[in-house]
Amino acid sequence: QKEVEQNSGPLSVPEGAIASLNCTYSDRVSQSFFWYRQYSGKSPELIMSIYSNGDKEDGRFTAQLNKASQYVSLLIRDSQPSDSATYLCAAQNYNQGGKLIFGQGTELSVKP
Amino acid sequence: GAVVSQHPSRVICKSGTSVKIECRSLDFQATTMFWYRQFPKKSLMLMATSNEGSKATYEQGVEKDKFLINHASLTLSTLTVTSAHPEDSSFYICSARPTGHNSYEQYFGPGTRLTVT
């Protein structure tokens, strides 16, 4: 079992819809979770971090964390074509020097 | 804030030569930097953790004598790919974690695309 798993997609949603991206992790001691967006040929860009159970909202983005279920999600409201990218979920364990363990990424396509 | 630069952004070298890639945190200090490589359509693979003033910690399967890492200051880490071969062609990305912050967020550089001919 991979440490961090995501559906590779592609996930296709129409413009204006809500895109829902999911991620599960296997290491129960992971403390912090991050969502990165990566456009083709570019490096990842941090869009959300979450450390506590529940929801965290930032603009059109909402991250959700459920440590009991070992589940992290990212919702993108009012999806735009410019949101089309690969979204990487990452888990972090402070006891491992803070290194990030990445999922394989979910490719999102927002159709005009 | 939290800007990380990499140089060069793209490099082509001949097989057997060495290439140095620089990673700089421009507006913050970073005790810890990380080096990743990424193949097309694949996720990021952590190569090593670079700590200022000490030896890097390499991930399993990464040759430390081939991928030399130096973290001489709180704003600069370098990765040298020694005796490069075509299979070393990849997208190399560094990240930096701000020193003294309560969070463990990492900020990525723009990446260096290495092509070995």
Side-chain angles (χ1 to χ4, degrees):
Chain A
Q1 181 189 7
K2 293 181 181 177
E3 293 187 59
V4 178
E5 292 206 51
Q6 297 178 250
N7 289 326
S8 59
L11 173 66
S12 183
V13 300
E15 184 175 357
I18 296 176
S20 177
L21 304 162
N22 304 315
C23 172
T24 58
Y25 60 95
S26 61
D27 187 355
R28 285 193 171 274
V29 299
S30 295
Q31 297 104 340
S32 303
F33 304 88
F34 304 89
W35 283 99
Y36 287 86
R37 176 176 62 198
Q38 186 175 26
Y39 292 112
S40 181
K42 303 294 185 182
S43 68
E45 173 192 8
L46 178 65
I47 53 173
M48 288 287 284
S49 59
I50 187 165
Y51 310 103
S52 304
N53 279 326
D55 296 359
K56 179 181 178 182
E57 187 175 316
D58 183 1
R60 295 187 295 113
F61 300 99
T62 299
Q64 299 173 317
L65 173 60
N66 183 325
K67 289 188 177 182
S69 301
Q70 296 176 241
Y71 176 89
V72 190
S73 67
L74 179 70
L75 300 178
I76 306 175
R77 289 180 298 282
D78 189 23
S79 296
Q80 301 296 310
S82 59
D83 294 326
S84 299
T86 296
Y87 289 80
L88 299 164
C89 171
Q92 184 180 58
N93 182 343
Y94 301 160
N95 295 330
Q96 293 183 20
K99 67 181 182 181
L100 296 176
I101 306 298
F102 282 91
Q104 67 269 40
T106 297
E107 184 181 349
L108 172 66
S109 177
V110 181
K111 303 294 186 184
Chain B
V3 178
V4 178
S5 71
Q6 272 184 252
H7 178 79
S9 58
R10 188 178 294 266
V11 58
I12 300 173
C13 71
K14 292 186 176 181
S15 188
T17 62
S18 295
V19 174
K20 179 185 283 188
I21 302 170
E22 292 186 350
C23 176
R24 293 182 185 272
S25 55
L26 298 185
D27 52 359
F28 64 96
Q29 293 185 330
T31 306
T32 304
M33 293 185 175
F34 302 86
W35 286 95
Y36 299 83
R37 66 186 297 182
Q38 187 177 36
F39 293 105
K41 302 288 187 182
K42 299 293 184 182
S43 189
L44 281 76
M45 184 193 81
L46 178 65
M47 299 174 65
T49 301
S50 170
N51 294 300
E52 187 267 338
S54 64
K55 290 184 179 180
T57 303
Y58 290 82
E59 295 298 301
Q60 191 173 9
V62 178
E63 298 176 61
K64 62 180 180 180
D65 294 329
K66 179 168 185 60
F67 299 100
L68 301 178
I69 292 172
N70 184 283
H71 193 154
S73 77
L74 288 173
T75 59
L76 173 64
S77 176
T78 61
L79 168 69
T80 301
V81 182
T82 63
S83 187
H85 288 93
E87 58 265 30
D88 298 323
S89 298
S90 189
F91 191 40
Y92 291 87
I93 314 172
C94 72
S95 71
R97 191 173 77 207
T99 301
H101 278 213
N102 293 327
S103 73
Y104 278 70
E105 295 175 353
Q106 292 181 26
Y107 298 92
F108 283 85
T112 296
R113 193 162 301 281
L114 171 64
T115 303
V116 184
T117 61

